[in-house]
Amino acid sequence: MSFDYDKYIRPGKLPHIWCPGCGHGIVMKGLIRAMDTLNLKKENTAIVSGIGCASRLPGYIDCCTLHTAHGRAAAFATGVKLAKPEMNVILCGGDGDGTAIGGNHFIHACRRNIDMTYIIMNNYIYGMTGGQFSPATPTGHKASTTPYGNPDPCFDIAKLAIGAGATFVARGTAFHANQIDKLIVEAIQHKGFSVVEILDDCPTTYGRRNKYKSVIEMMNRLKEVAVPVKAAEKMTAEQLQGKVLTGVLYKDETKPEYTAEYAKVIERAKASK
Amino acid sequence: MEKKLPKIEIIEKYCKGCHICVEFCPTKVLEMRGFVVGVKNLEACIKCMQCELRCPDFAIKVSAE
């Protein structure tokens, strides 16, 4: 049976601004299915984003949404969550917004382990501003500001999140569309800071410069590089060369959650008066 | 017994012609008609919903009762 996306979409907002073949639409569908699975109420769900292609996502979804300054989604979302701890706070943004301009906010939100879900759509580039290289652009690949190849080593966003202290880290791809909503459901249910990195494609500014002939070729590349975590256990280091692990990469339920800890601070302050 | 055909609704206003549904349809039901997608061979549809799942533009709805 067909899924009714329309009940979660703001009337009159479609068609969206994303280019033909952009994976952000697939991720948005996954998020809507996840919201439906968990039966999240519109008035009790906040989607916060920064600036960028991926950060246009909250504008289309009919719930509490906040479109903030570049890279500052985590800072604004922390404020929302502390003011209203009962709210489900979901952040979304791209790789540039999350790990370059908002890199500092991102690692500190991870460190605090505040109960939020961050969906990072990693399309390897700054799409909206004209295809400049981002910290996720692979070494040697071309962008508008690195026409002879990017000399920088790139971030592994999932590993960065684990290192910074996030307690749930998962990775999916826009090709594995069925998996996206399952990962997001698990991330929202997890008490603590959850990061879901979704590998995406940007046919307009990244694919064109890096000799991908079509959207289909970019989608098939995602299919080829993705290896599920369980399958990777049986593979040798040589076989895993150039591959990317997908699925739930890290989960820790022992670390205290920030809003609960902060409530204790408020209690202690009241008691000491 | 006559096979009950599914209904494939294409919202042409939303379709950006990215070819994803055409390529990933396992039975090649869809085709490109200029810049938008069209249904070529409805009889072959196996209701796998791949086109609806993968369409980034919310342009395809498959109803299969």
Side-chain angles (χ1 to χ4, degrees):
Chain A
M1 188 58 211
S2 160
F3 185 91
D4 183 18
Y5 293 99
D6 293 343
K7 61 179 175 180
Y8 287 94
I9 303 260
R10 286 201 171 120
K13 283 283 179 184
L14 288 179
H16 53 58
I17 60 147
W18 297 315
C19 303
C22 174
H24 294 346
I26 300 172
V27 181
M28 181 158 110
K29 281 178 142 177
L31 174 60
I32 290 174
R33 288 198 302 276
M35 286 168 70
D36 189 68
T37 309
L38 292 170
N39 221 350
L40 297 187
K41 288 201 177 89
K42 287 176 183 178
E43 60 276 13
N44 208 21
T45 308
I47 306 186
V48 188
S49 72
I51 298 292
C53 289
S55 299
R56 293 293 296 247
L57 192 150
Y60 303 110
I61 299 186
D62 191 12
C63 66
C64 305
T65 58
L66 192 57
H67 194 185
T68 72
H70 206 348
R72 270 64 187 165
F76 281 82
T78 303
V80 172
K81 186 71 187 177
L82 281 176
K84 285 187 175 285
E86 71 283 359
M87 265 199 142
N88 298 298
V89 181
I90 301 164
L91 294 89
C92 52
D95 48 309
D97 182 62
T99 60
I101 294 170
N104 226 333
H105 295 291
F106 173 65
I107 56 172
H108 291 288
C110 289
R111 174 175 63 88
R112 289 194 188 108
N113 193 31
I114 185 160
D115 184 19
M116 303 190 291
T117 301
Y118 199 158
I119 302 165
I120 298 192
M121 288 161 241
N122 181 0
N123 58 5
Y124 309 104
I125 208 144
Y126 282 98
M128 185 174 271
T129 48
Q132 293 85 353
F133 73 100
S134 82
T137 309
T139 315
H141 285 216
K142 287 173 184 165
S144 66
T145 44
T146 54
Y148 302 104
N150 173 27
D152 298 4
C154 68
F155 262 150
D156 182 330
I157 298 175
K159 277 187 186 161
L160 175 71
I162 297 170
T167 49
F168 180 94
V169 179
R171 195 192 276 127
T173 80
F175 176 83
H176 303 87
N178 252 336
Q179 192 192 24
I180 297 174
D181 53 323
K182 292 178 183 88
L183 292 176
I184 296 176
V185 164
E186 218 175 316
I188 294 174
Q189 282 173 333
H190 176 76
K191 276 264 166 234
F193 196 79
S194 320
V195 177
V196 183
E197 181 194 0
I198 314 258
L199 301 181
D200 220 338
D201 59 336
C202 177
T204 306
T205 61
Y206 179 76
R208 206 157 42 96
R209 285 196 180 86
N210 289 289
K211 306 280 177 254
Y212 287 103
K213 289 195 187 87
S214 65
V215 173
I216 312 305
E217 209 182 302
M218 296 194 82
M219 281 285 165
N220 284 332
R221 188 199 68 90
L222 291 176
K223 179 185 168 188
E224 280 157 24
V225 296
V227 177
V229 183
K230 274 194 183 150
E233 284 169 6
K234 293 173 198 148
M235 288 166 77
T236 60
E238 232 168 63
Q239 286 171 315
L240 285 172
Q241 196 70 37
K243 302 279 184 192
V244 185
L245 298 188
T246 57
V248 179
L249 306 178
Y250 181 76
K251 196 172 182 177
D252 176 11
E253 282 169 333
T254 55
K255 205 172 161 185
E257 197 274 317
Y258 190 71
T259 44
E261 291 300 301
Y262 203 80
K264 286 180 198 165
V265 173
I266 295 171
E267 286 299 313
R268 283 203 294 275
K270 278 182 182 166
S272 69
K273 266 187 186 171
Chain B
M1 206 179 104
E2 205 176 309
K3 201 177 131 195
K4 207 174 174 193
L5 292 176
K7 200 172 155 244
I8 303 180
E9 185 194 345
I10 291 161
I11 307 165
E12 294 193 354
K13 200 178 131 197
Y14 294 173
C15 179
K16 290 175 185 154
C18 68
H19 288 245
I20 286 180
C21 56
V22 177
E23 288 293 326
F24 288 110
C25 174
T27 53
K28 305 292 168 216
V29 172
L30 304 161
E31 66 171 355
M32 290 309 295
R33 287 182 189 153
F35 288 108
V36 291
V37 69
V39 181
K40 176 177 69 177
N41 184 12
L42 190 62
E43 277 88 45
C45 179
I46 53 166
K47 304 167 205 167
C48 67
M49 318 293 259
Q50 285 286 315
C51 53
E52 192 194 285
L53 179 77
R54 294 188 187 281
C55 173
D57 296 303
F58 299 78
I60 300 187
K61 284 177 187 166
V62 183
S63 40
E65 271 97 78

